[in-house]
Amino acid sequence: MSQKIRIKLKSYDHNLLDKSAEKIVKTVKATGAVISGPIPLPTHKRIFTVNRSTFVNKKSREQFQLSSFKRLIDIYNSSAKTIDALMKLELPSGVQVEVKV
């Protein structure tokens, strides 16, 4: 069964994301599958500008930034053992995982 599995990780914290990706890579390599990644995808930045004061200081503004980080992992030559190991893997709650077969 030589199918390609693509795992896309997304998080607001890059340290948490890198640790999760490293955990997945170690688990997959232990089962003997071929892995490519983690590939960093472009960071999506959302910037919000808010007035500090309602009326008097109209030019005084404050900016906030919310960055979302993404990683892509491709797994080749996976077996049932690889899929089973991935299903049992515990990842932190701050990481969103999307799996495509």
Side-chain angles (χ1 to χ4, degrees), residues 21-57:
E22 189 179 320
K23 196 184 272 189
I24 290 173
V25 168
K26 279 184 182 177
T27 306
V28 171
K29 281 188 177 178
T31 60
V34 179
I35 193 163
S36 105
I39 303 163
L41 296 175
T43 303
H44 183 252
K45 295 178 183 174
R46 292 178 60 193
I47 299 172
F48 303 97
T49 306
V50 180
N51 290 350
R52 286 186 189 207
S53 169
T54 52
F55 212 56
V56 183
N57 301 321

Side-chain angles (χ1 to χ4, degrees), residues 32-89:
V34 179
I35 193 163
S36 105
I39 303 163
L41 296 175
T43 303
H44 183 252
K45 295 178 183 174
R46 292 178 60 193
I47 299 172
F48 303 97
T49 306
V50 180
N51 290 350
R52 286 186 189 207
S53 169
T54 52
F55 212 56
V56 183
N57 301 321
K58 183 70 174 165
K59 293 182 181 176
S60 176
R61 294 167 191 250
E62 209 167 0
Q63 286 191 327
F64 300 99
Q65 178 175 314
L66 187 64
S67 300
S68 65
F69 303 94
K70 298 174 209 149
R71 301 284 183 271
L72 189 71
I73 300 172
D74 284 339
I75 302 169
Y76 303 100
N77 300 334
S78 61
S79 62
K81 187 178 173 185
T82 308
I83 296 167
D84 192 42
L86 283 172
M87 294 298 263
K88 290 181 181 175
L89 197 62

